């Protein structure tokens, strides 16, 4: 594992791949959140040759099952399965993710380092405080990352598009992505987080039934899109669509 430090503002850890410009970056409050909510889409993009990545905001150190050391190994294993170009961890405190100036500066510095075109963040309607806290933190960080006069390392970077992914709450998506062809690989990437998804069920998410439960949601959204399975996202800004593709 490699540590990257631009200056005293932030230290982030690379656990897979190398720091590079990314097409898509998914922010995960805890290890495994990105696989559950957006893993199929990332796998599709990676298979198409796009550089995609995940940034864990915390190491999940307060989780009931597993340890930070076990979970980082699981994250690296899942990254290999998915074909990610980069995976990193920011190391903000688990259970305390919220919009703070210090956290936003740290996240903005990472955004400048990996320069994502599309940023995917947890939905603000999620019931978990770390998830909706991550949403609000990301909004400030996206703003800071683009400011030429912000006290941050690296060149300013403007994220082109922000999408919200589904966690534990219902959402009203306006973007559906067909993930039927990558279901087997997606399931492998989720179950690579063995410490969370084996043994006793702790919650509706931390359960051995996680693949079955999430696939039920994918089936529902797939029905809406007339495909077998789909992942659901919400774009806060209007999408420009070529009518010839409809």
């Amino acid at each position: 594992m490699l540590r990257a430090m631009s200056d005293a503002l932030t230290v982030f850890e690379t656990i897979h791949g190398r720091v590079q410009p990314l097409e898509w970056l998914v922010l995960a409050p805890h290890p495994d959140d990105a696989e559950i909510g957006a893993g199929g889409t990332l796998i599709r993009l990676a298979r198409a040759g796009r550089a995609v990545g995940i940034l864990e905001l915390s190491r999940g150190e307060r989780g009931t099952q597993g340890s930070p050391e076990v979970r980082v190994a699981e994250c690296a294993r899942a990254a290999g399965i998915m074909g990610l170009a980069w995976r990193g961890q920011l190391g903000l405190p688990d259970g305390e993710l919220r919009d703070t100036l210090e956290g936003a500066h740290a996240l903005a510095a990472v955004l400048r380092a990996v320069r994502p075109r599309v940023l995917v963040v947890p939905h603000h309607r999620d019931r978990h405080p770390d998830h909706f806290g991550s949403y609000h933190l990301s909004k400030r960080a996206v703003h800071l990352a683009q400011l030429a006069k912000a006290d941050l390392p690296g060149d300013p970077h403007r994220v082109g598009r922000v999408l919200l992914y589904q966690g534990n709450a219902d959402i009203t998506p306006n973007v559906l992505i067909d993930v039927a062809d990558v279901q087997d690989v997606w399931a492998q990437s989720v179950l690579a987080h063995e410490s969370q998804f084996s043994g006793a069920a702790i919650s509706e998410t931390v359960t051995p039934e996680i693949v079955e439960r999430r696939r039920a949601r994918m089936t529902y959204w797939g029905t809406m899109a007339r495909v077998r399975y789909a992942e659901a996202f919400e774009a806060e800004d209007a999408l420009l669509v070529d009518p010839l593709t409809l």
Side-chain angles (χ1 to χ4, degrees), residues 6 10 12 19-22 24-27 55 57 86 90 103-121 137-146 152-162:
S6 300
T10 184
F12 64 90
V19 174
Q20 60 186 284
L22 300 174
W24 284 50
L25 175 67
V26 178
L27 299 186
L55 175 69
L57 299 181
W86 179 78
L90 190 54
H105 272 82
L107 178 54
V110 179
L111 296 180
R112 287 188 172 191
V114 299
R115 313 186 73 77
R117 183 177 63 84
V118 177
L119 183 68
V120 189
V121 306
L137 175 65
S138 72
K139 296 286 281 188
R140 189 197 291 251
V142 166
H143 176 70
L144 287 172
Q146 67 188 354
L152 291 169
D155 295 328
H157 174 68
R158 183 183 296 273
V159 173
R161 172 76 62 187
V162 176

